[in-house]
Amino acid sequence: MVGNHSGLIKFYIEGFPGSPEFRYTLFAIFFFSFFVTLMGNVVIIVIVCADRRLHSPMYFFLGHLSILDILITYTIIPPMLAGLLMSEVLSMSFSACVTQLFLYLSFGTVELVLLGTMAVDRYVAVCNPLRYNIIMNNQVCLWVVILAWVFGFLFEIWPVYATFQLSFCRSTLVSHFYCERGLLLKLSCDDTLFLEFILFLMAVFVLFGSLLPTVISYTYIISTILKIPSASGRRKAFSTCASHFIYVVIGYGTCLFLYVKPKQTEAVEYNKTVSLLILVVTPFLTPFIFTLRNDKVKEVLRDGMKRYCHLFHGKPFAKDISMAIVYILDFWSKLVPHRNRQVVILLSLGKFKAKLVGMFFLGI
């Protein structure tokens, strides 16, 4: 029997077993996704901080959401990538496993609280626009964010502590790509039925506690939008919360499937698939959801590229690259409303001409 002696336990993360070619292919896919997630969210954070047009509560919360996406992916993805390059399973110390699980759950809890807060922010903006600056003032937004971070970390202390107080007698091989709580419970030789029930209730409290204000807010938002007489007015009102609504559907949908189930130890492959959606796909899509669907962010990006072009005026290579990016943003913004269309992008960068041909299925 392996007790809960932290100095003796090592967990072995199975990751994605298969041939080297299979693992290297997954490494390339996940590394590309991780890089795009990192760069895209960094761009969002920079423009939110640098441009005064984005100094509003909505973009203040969006900046923190981007920080959380970076932190969540950085907690899980680099060890997963290291495991894909290794010929053997990835070993992880007891303290490293505790730290990874605690940070992942804490960041995720903070993100759920912020999503609920952003829904209330959109409700005030659409339903009470004249009082928006009074209700959602800087002090309120700052305290909401501080409380969200504090709550997220404090709330996950006991669940993680209780999980690692168990004795692991069967094995320390985790059939996942990170220290997943359900599988750790499965490895324990203790009776975990009561603990699983408590964890289920806590997951319900967090998810539905943040989902309830989101549902109520969007009920009032949709009701208010439908009362607007002009089609252009309805479209403009809905565009202010479309990005958040799409992110809510993706984020809450995957979390509900993964965490809100009484039996935490079942369906290993199912958990792994849904975890990939949460940790790889959703953060990868976040920068596109909040930029391509947001006219103000696209305007800020275009103006930034134009200023960059003006700054390097007279330097052909930098100018050509900057203008190419501006044209791509313009072209892409016109393309987004259309679905399932083949896109052929022809870039001309000075004397170097490159043809990038791709098919994009735009369902955002």
Side-chain angles (χ1 to χ4, degrees), residues 292-328:
L292 298 181
R293 300 292 303 185
N294 192 303
D295 292 333
K296 185 176 287 188
V297 173
K298 287 188 289 187
E299 179 185 349
V300 169
L301 287 173
R302 281 194 292 265
D303 291 347
M305 289 299 102
K306 289 175 182 177
R307 285 196 297 269
Y308 176 81
C309 174
H310 180 73
L311 181 65
F312 288 92
H313 182 69
K315 298 181 180 180
F317 181 72
K319 180 177 179 180
D320 287 346
I321 291 180
S322 301
M323 291 307 298
I325 296 174
V326 172
Y327 293 147
I328 290 173

Side-chain angles (χ1 to χ4, degrees), residues 8 91 98 110 120 146 159 161 175 252 256 305-306 317 323 350:
L8 302 177
S91 63
V98 172
V110 177
V120 175
I146 292 174
Y161 173 79
S175 301
Y252 279 105
L256 287 172
M305 289 299 102
K306 289 175 182 177
F317 181 72
M323 291 307 298

Side-chain angles (χ1 to χ4, degrees), residues 173-322:
L173 177 65
V174 181
S175 301
H176 214 290
F177 55 85
Y178 73 100
C179 284
E180 204 269 333
R181 184 169 60 190
L183 292 177
L184 292 175
L185 296 176
K186 189 175 181 179
L187 295 177
S188 173
C189 55
D190 298 333
D191 184 8
T192 61
L193 186 61
F194 179 72
L195 177 58
E196 289 182 41
F197 179 69
I198 297 299
L199 294 177
F200 167 73
L201 292 180
M202 295 183 72
V204 169
F205 174 77
V206 171
L207 283 169
F208 286 95
S210 59
L211 183 60
L212 185 60
T214 302
V215 172
I216 295 174
S217 297
Y218 274 104
T219 301
Y220 281 103
I221 288 172
I222 294 172
S223 176
T224 302
I225 291 176
L226 293 177
K227 294 177 182 178
I228 299 176
S230 65
S232 60
R234 290 193 297 268
R235 192 179 305 110
K236 183 179 180 180
F238 186 74
S239 66
T240 62
C241 51
S243 300
H244 177 260
F245 181 77
I246 294 170
Y247 190 87
V248 162
V249 172
I250 298 174
Y252 279 105
T254 51
C255 287
L256 287 172
F257 279 115
L258 183 59
Y259 294 112
V260 183
K261 55 182 187 296
K263 193 67 175 175
Q264 295 280 318
T265 59
E266 293 179 352
V268 173
E269 292 302 323
Y270 170 84
N271 284 354
K272 189 181 291 188
T273 303
V274 180
S275 295
L276 281 176
L277 292 177
I278 294 176
L279 294 167
V280 178
V281 178
T282 302
F284 175 80
L285 293 177
T286 300
F288 299 102
I289 293 173
F290 284 103
T291 56
L292 298 181
R293 300 292 303 185
N294 192 303
D295 292 333
K296 185 176 287 188
V297 173
K298 287 188 289 187
E299 179 185 349
V300 169
L301 287 173
R302 281 194 292 265
D303 291 347
M305 289 299 102
K306 289 175 182 177
R307 285 196 297 269
Y308 176 81
C309 174
H310 180 73
L311 181 65
F312 288 92
H313 182 69
K315 298 181 180 180
F317 181 72
K319 180 177 179 180
D320 287 346
I321 291 180
S322 301

Side-chain angles (χ1 to χ4, degrees), residues 49-93:
C49 294
D51 199 290
R52 295 186 62 86
R53 286 171 291 181
L54 301 183
H55 289 179
S56 66
M58 173 184 174
Y59 298 105
F60 176 68
F61 296 137
L62 176 59
H64 282 269
L65 200 65
S66 295
I67 293 172
L68 286 166
D69 276 342
I70 292 174
L71 292 175
I72 289 173
T73 54
Y74 201 79
T75 301
I76 304 295
I77 303 302
M80 181 185 74
L81 294 176
L84 288 171
L85 292 179
M86 297 174 62
S87 57
E88 300 177 354
V89 294
L90 178 68
S91 63
M92 187 174 290
S93 66

